[in-house]
Amino acid sequence: MKVNGKSMRSIWPVGDAAVKVIDQRLLPYQFKVCELARAGDAEHAIRTMMVRGAPLIGVTGAYGLALALRADPSDAALAGAHARLLDSRPTAVNLRWALDRVRDAVVELPPSERAAAAWEEAGGIAREDVALNSAIGANGAEILRALHNRLRRTVNVLTHCNTGWLAAVDFGTALSAVYAAHDKGIPVHVWVDETRPRNQGLLTVWELAAHGVPHTLIVDNAGGHLMQRGQVDVVIVGADRVTARGDVANKIGTYLKAVAALDSGIPFYAAVPSPTIDWELEKGEDIPIEERAPSEVLEVAGLDADGNTVRAKLLPEGSAVANPAFDITPARLVTGIITERGVAEPWRLRDLFPELPPTDD
Amino acid sequence: MKVNGKSMRSIWPVGDAAVKVIDQRLLPYQFKVCELARAGDAEHAIRTMMVRGAPLIGVTGAYGLALALRADPSDAALAGAHARLLDSRPTAVNLRWALDRVRDAVVELPPSERAAAAWEEAGGIAREDVALNSAIGANGAEILRALHNRLRRTVNVLTHCNTGWLAAVDFGTALSAVYAAHDKGIPVHVWVDETRPRNQGLLTVWELAAHGVPHTLIVDNAGGHLMQRGQVDVVIVGADRVTARGDVANKIGTYLKAVAALDSGIPFYAAVPSPTIDWELEKGEDIPIEERAPSEVLEVAGLDADGNTVRAKLLPEGSAVANPAFDITPARLVTGIITERGVAEPWRLRDLFPELPPTDD
């Protein structure tokens, strides 16, 4: 997508010995590109949320494993780097998938060929992700087109967190649907949840503004009221993980929007590329929920009166804080899952992937 | 309640020509007492949220009207001050009630006697509010006692916004129940919603810490997840207004917690003194919802690294923001209303007030 009129992705290779990423912790205030030249850089980028969003985390991990093999292509180094990178964000099933894929592509090769093959595999994952997200956008846009055809006015979408191209390689997931609809001339307006504690909604505002999509920032508390008053036509979110039965693990607060959407009769969709679907796992309750640092809750980043970045501390260090990073939206609250293959009710999700082995039951 | 071991109320008279209040905009960082010596001071204190919470707004308005009459006891001045004070917070039914009561108490008197009578009436409203809130606390504590008797462990309460003594004259509404239970030895722990956009949850944390009640701060997004995982036993909130059928107008985001509580089978109570009940109004949808300034959303107050208060601006001025201040929790989501007379299901609320005239239907 575009930044200052220039086409941009969230991660791109520099020759064959490093990748560049945008330091997303500095957005929307500062646009800074960082080079990741070692596996440790990639691990650090994932752990500190310099990069965020399931697809981008996966691609960053894949390039990280390739960088590790450039330093040491041994079996031990491969296993060690795989484990360390995986540990940098245990909830993200995409990360495991991408790391496994790179490992599987190179493990049978002689060590001298591994780094180049891993680099090629990581690039392939990135290219496939762009294709996946483009297809998700096209499928999601059809939902917005149908709503527009029925309502004959601007379609109001509510979204949570950031699911745009910053969270992917390009296009994004939930926002890909918005971009595709907007680019096809379907009038859309997006209610953007601030998304405490990390305020990723501000990234969504930044993206939408850069692309010219009408939008309004709201606090996380406001969405239910807007739904009650008929000001939301559809909720579309992304996911960190979707289980086989369609339970959706996503940024904390997603469940509150889903249960309110049901209460107001508003459709609720999760837009995910298929690598985000964990076919091995049935119940959302079995997904471990990361408890993140209290400082995420206690400190809010912004600009001071002079335009310098500042962190406002809400309460003293040591205040009692709980900070669960994700919640689970049960499938019964989910109208449909938007994938690159099409849109399906949760219980029909597997039907979109006929190549999967039949389930036991 | 106590601050640094010293008993304190949120508003108190100084002689008979001024009242003192705590500038609650500076809390929890700075404890500053301000004198209101004119009606305009009271109006300003309400409008700028130096004072907040339905009961305290009412008492501040009542004293404001008394101060206006001290400057000019004419009929015209009485009507003008009543209108200006009422306009400072149109959603607050308590404010209207308190202003009407002072006006009605003095309008028949000769102008020379009005100021003293109004002052006495305002003091009476304050004293009655303390008695009301004390009774609400006793009634609410019985709910917590019953939960404790059933669970045989600490009772986990989730609350939204600030409903403690800072929002009243003393004790508070929802927090009054918590204080009463705690003081009676019933083990309670409070999940405190941050309550964006104004972060009144920080005042709740400040109050609970000052009184020694165990508590944990969470972002507004987290409560649903905690409910799903069995970590919340009861939700208790206050209200800006309750309709005759039991719809609850309260700080934005309350509805999201109520609908999630129902989804998880958790009881949801609103604790209100009877002046907050608007017997004239049936449907919550008919309550006008204030749209407040975008700056409330765009700027977050806190302390910088040096301990100075700072406002972190999240996005540039002029960014598209919506900021509805309240939402309506429909009676069907409300387990009970806690009042000074007792606790009742919404449809039985009127039964607690047999002195009311029978309804038409």
Side-chain angles (χ1 to χ4, degrees), chain B residues 227-308:
Chain B
M227 292 181 201
Q228 287 181 305
R229 301 271 159 139
Q231 295 179 269
V232 177
D233 300 309
V234 61
V235 180
I236 312 182
V237 299
D240 269 64
R241 196 157 164 183
V242 171
T243 70
R245 75 176 182 195
D247 293 346
V248 174
N250 192 41
K251 173 80 181 185
I252 193 79
T254 301
Y255 161 66
L256 289 170
K257 295 299 141 61
V259 72
L262 181 73
D263 194 57
S264 289
I266 295 164
F268 177 97
Y269 291 93
V272 294
S274 57
T276 302
I277 305 170
D278 186 350
W279 298 110
E280 306 298 314
L281 198 68
E282 192 65 17
K283 295 185 195 167
E285 303 95 279
D286 294 338
I287 297 175
I289 300 296
E290 264 182 81
E291 176 75 25
R292 294 185 59 90
S295 60
E296 289 189 353
V297 174
L298 290 177
E299 293 180 18
V300 177
L303 297 180
D304 68 13
D306 300 323
N308 301 311

Side-chain angles (χ1 to χ4, degrees), chain A residues 219-235:
Chain A
V219 295
D220 299 302
N221 282 324
H225 169 70
L226 296 173
M227 292 181 202
Q228 287 181 305
R229 301 272 160 139
Q231 295 178 270
V232 177
D233 300 309
V234 61
V235 180

